[in-house]
Amino acid sequence: MAKNEFRGVATRAKLAGHPIHPMLIPFPIALLVATFASDLAFWGTADVFWARASFWLLAAALVMSAAAAIAGFADFLGNSRIRSMSDAWQHMIGNVVAVVLALANFILRWNMESSQGVLPWGIVLSALIVLILLFTGWKGGSLVYHHRIGMHPEEPVGADPKRSNRR
């Protein structure tokens, strides 16, 4: 094996040498999955507490999604090798769709009494978002474990992949 075969692909958004995007993504994922779980709890119990909880979980998910998206876009736009990967495009587009659906879900709940925003469309949107996150999470894992994005040691940003001894 050649010396450079295991080199990672550089990312732009870093904190003390660690990629920021993977540090942030667990928060919106957990909050969006919790929104769906809270919607299911409301559906099963009709307790308005769960409808209110879903609303605030969704609000927090949108804030954290924005932070994760900023770091993700910096990585995506900052390295042409990342932009050349179809997995990166699928990951990005899928996550943008999920966040747009989450925003629509939030607006739906904002414009209605908390419990009216859950059934039927709020829970349908929450379920769809979770399904999209399963796909985009798979693609994100592929970017890290297959394409080695953000893995150390990294090649310099803009490094010529033809000069690397990759397969």
Short mmCIF file of all heavy atoms in Angstrom, two decimals, residues 106 133 160:
data_model
loop_
_atom_site.label_atom_id
_atom_site.label_comp_id
_atom_site.label_asym_id
_atom_site.label_seq_id
_atom_site.Cartn_x
_atom_site.Cartn_y
_atom_site.Cartn_z
N PHE A 106 -42.90 23.13 11.62
CA PHE A 106 -42.90 24.15 12.68
C PHE A 106 -43.94 25.23 12.39
O PHE A 106 -44.70 25.63 13.28
CB PHE A 106 -41.50 24.76 12.80
CG PHE A 106 -41.38 25.78 13.88
CD1 PHE A 106 -41.29 25.41 15.22
CD2 PHE A 106 -41.36 27.14 13.57
CE1 PHE A 106 -41.18 26.36 16.23
CE2 PHE A 106 -41.26 28.09 14.57
CZ PHE A 106 -41.17 27.70 15.90
N LEU A 133 -33.74 11.31 7.29
CA LEU A 133 -32.52 11.31 8.12
C LEU A 133 -31.84 9.95 8.11
O LEU A 133 -30.60 9.89 8.19
CB LEU A 133 -32.84 11.73 9.55
CG LEU A 133 -33.23 13.19 9.74
CD1 LEU A 133 -33.60 13.45 11.20
CD2 LEU A 133 -32.15 14.13 9.28
N ASP A 160 -4.44 17.88 -5.31
CA ASP A 160 -4.73 17.21 -6.57
C ASP A 160 -4.88 15.71 -6.32
O ASP A 160 -3.92 15.04 -5.97
CB ASP A 160 -3.60 17.48 -7.57
CG ASP A 160 -3.86 16.89 -8.95
OD1 ASP A 160 -4.94 16.25 -9.12
OD2 ASP A 160 -3.02 17.07 -9.83
#
